Amino acid sequence: MAAHRKPKQRPYTGSAARTAATLALAGAATAAALPGSAHAEPTLTTAQVKAEVDRLYREAEVATEQYNGAKVKAAATARSIDAMRDEAARRTERLNTSREALGSYAAAQYRAGGLDPSLQLALSSDPDQYLQRASYVERAASGRADELRAVRRQVADVAQLRSEAAGQLAELTARQADLQKHKATVRAKLSEARPLLARLSPAQRTAYDASEDGGRGDGHADRSAPRGSAQAPNARAAAAVAFAYGALGKPYVWGATGPSSFDCSGLTQAAWRSAGVSLPRTTYTQINAGQRVGRSELAPGDLVFFYSGVSHVGLYIGNGRMIHAPRPGAPVRIAPIDEMPFAGATRVA
């Protein structure tokens, strides 16, 4: 029987070669689309990267403000617990003193044998003296009863304080859990943003940074911006604005309140603190820290808020501009207030 031989393959040429190449590319594309097959990351435009990174940064900023709020509440709860423990210690000391006094009285009665009053009268050689003493003992016994009632009240008060402190401790534990949750959210959002930015070429990154800086591309250039074009309404507002100018170029760090770095509400809080005014820590509490004003009424020193969740704040400096801490990687800078969705404004002083 004749042996079967495999026909010799001849290389494709001309149109046959082009057809084979087309089929090969189509097959590769199909394979790339199949689940589990290797494929390249989709190419995104600068605008697409910016939109996605901006979304992540906004979500991180929301979590940052929640972190700031939880941190303030946790600190307040910790102070309350300390105060309760101090008060419980003081009341316990007074309680122990009262208990010792009652103990001494009880021991004296025991040593005296606790004689029946009629027997004491029978044994007394001086009935008049006994009657005087009996009157004193009766008054003393009444006083001891008052002391006993006071001790009981003190015991109840100390127990109540300790119970409240235990409740506060449970609340503190919950606050600390919130802190960790919000911290994890911030870090996750920032971690998602970093590889997206890394996919940009140097030229694209420059364009992205320029779009985040009102088109200037240099957040530090605003240090020399004129400051006298809009007059602050009072000395405190002027001091807050001056502080904000002095912070230009300092880095954004989430959760920071200065002096070397800031997040958005940390900057406004620090600016007004320099003017002697204590602002609350978060954007959603700062918006209620003064008198609401309309956009057409803005004056230097006013707080301007953005996004529907009031998650970003800046310090208005006049002429439609503000100084704010924008996001990680972007230093404190001057920006137009119309670059973000306006949510409201507050006049602090």
Side-chain angles (χ1 to χ4, degrees), residues 129-207:
Q129 185 181 36
Y130 166 77
L131 291 174
Q132 290 176 358
R133 289 177 178 175
S135 177
Y136 171 77
V137 168
E138 183 178 2
R139 290 196 302 272
S142 175
R144 295 300 177 188
D146 290 341
E147 288 181 17
L148 183 59
R149 284 191 293 271
V151 166
R152 287 172 177 165
R153 285 195 301 270
Q154 289 174 22
V155 169
D157 288 346
V158 169
Q160 177 66 22
L161 273 172
R162 288 175 175 169
S163 175
E164 290 177 7
Q168 291 281 308
L169 186 59
E171 183 178 338
L172 177 60
T173 301
R175 300 291 187 202
Q176 291 170 335
D178 284 343
L179 274 175
Q180 295 305 315
K181 179 184 72 176
H182 298 315
K183 182 186 292 187
T185 300
V186 173
R187 288 177 171 172
K189 298 300 180 183
L190 298 183
S191 294
E192 287 183 64
R194 279 191 289 270
L196 281 172
L197 289 171
R199 291 167 60 182
L200 296 178
S201 68
Q204 288 174 324
R205 183 62 185 268
T206 299

Side-chain angles (χ1 to χ4, degrees), residues 71-86:
K71 187 175 182 180
V72 168
K73 290 176 181 178
T77 303
R79 288 193 298 271
S80 177
I81 290 172
D82 288 342
M84 284 182 179
R85 285 172 173 169
D86 289 345

Side-chain angles (χ1 to χ4, degrees), residues 23-33:
L23 291 173
L25 289 173
T30 303

Side-chain angles (χ1 to χ4, degrees), residues 1 3-4 13 29 44 55 74 105 116 145 157 180 185 252 268 273 285 297 302 313 323 334 337:
M1 188 168 79
H4 293 281
T13 60
L44 300 178
R55 179 186 68 80
Y105 176 74
D116 182 81
D157 288 346
Q180 295 305 315
T185 300
Y252 177 104
T268 50
R273 184 170 58 238
T285 51
E297 305 170 295
D302 290 346
V313 62
I323 294 176
I334 292 175
I337 64 170

Side-chain angles (χ1 to χ4, degrees), residues 81-327:
I81 290 172
D82 288 342
M84 284 182 179
R85 285 172 173 169
D86 289 345
E87 181 62 19
R90 286 192 293 270
R91 293 192 184 190
T92 299
E93 186 175 355
R94 291 197 295 269
L95 172 60
N96 290 337
T97 300
S98 299
R99 280 172 167 168
E100 288 173 4
L102 283 176
S104 299
Y105 176 74
Q109 288 290 95
Y110 179 78
R111 287 193 298 271
L115 295 176
D116 182 81
S118 60
L119 184 58
Q120 291 184 35
L121 179 59
L123 297 176
S124 175
S125 60
D126 187 347
D128 290 336
Q129 185 181 36
Y130 166 77
L131 291 174
Q132 290 176 358
R133 289 177 178 175
S135 177
Y136 171 77
V137 168
E138 183 178 2
R139 290 196 302 272
S142 175
R144 295 300 177 188
D146 290 341
E147 288 181 17
L148 183 59
R149 284 191 293 271
V151 166
R152 287 172 177 165
R153 285 195 301 270
Q154 289 174 22
V155 169
D157 288 346
V158 169
Q160 177 66 22
L161 273 172
R162 288 175 175 169
S163 175
E164 290 177 7
Q168 291 281 308
L169 186 59
E171 183 178 338
L172 177 60
T173 301
R175 300 291 187 202
Q176 291 170 335
D178 284 343
L179 274 175
Q180 295 305 315
K181 179 184 72 176
H182 298 315
K183 182 186 292 187
T185 300
V186 173
R187 288 177 171 172
K189 298 300 180 183
L190 298 183
S191 294
E192 287 183 64
R194 279 191 289 270
L196 281 172
L197 289 171
R199 291 167 60 182
L200 296 178
S201 68
Q204 288 174 324
R205 183 62 185 268
T206 299
Y208 172 72
D209 289 338
S211 69
E212 289 294 289
D213 194 23
R216 289 181 299 273
D218 182 4
H220 300 272
D222 289 312
R223 284 187 176 278
S224 59
R227 307 186 187 187
S229 55
Q231 186 67 39
N234 55 58
R236 286 183 295 183
V241 170
F243 180 95
Y245 270 101
L248 288 172
K250 293 186 177 181
Y252 177 104
V253 174
W254 69 273
T257 58
S260 57
S261 59
F262 303 91
D263 63 18
C264 69
S265 56
L267 174 64
T268 50
Q269 185 188 51
W272 273 101
R273 184 170 58 238
S274 74
V277 177
S278 178
L279 285 184
R281 178 63 182 92
T282 64
T283 54
Y284 48 84
T285 51
Q286 287 182 6
I287 197 171
N288 297 316
Q291 176 187 354
R292 296 288 187 91
V293 293
R295 185 165 178 164
S296 62
E297 305 170 295
L298 289 173
D302 290 346
L303 304 178
V304 282
F305 299 88
F306 304 92
Y307 300 108
S308 59
V310 194
S311 59
H312 191 75
V313 62
L315 190 76
Y316 189 70
I317 59 172
N319 299 320
R321 302 182 306 161
M322 65 177 171
I323 294 176
H324 73 141
R327 57 169 175 79

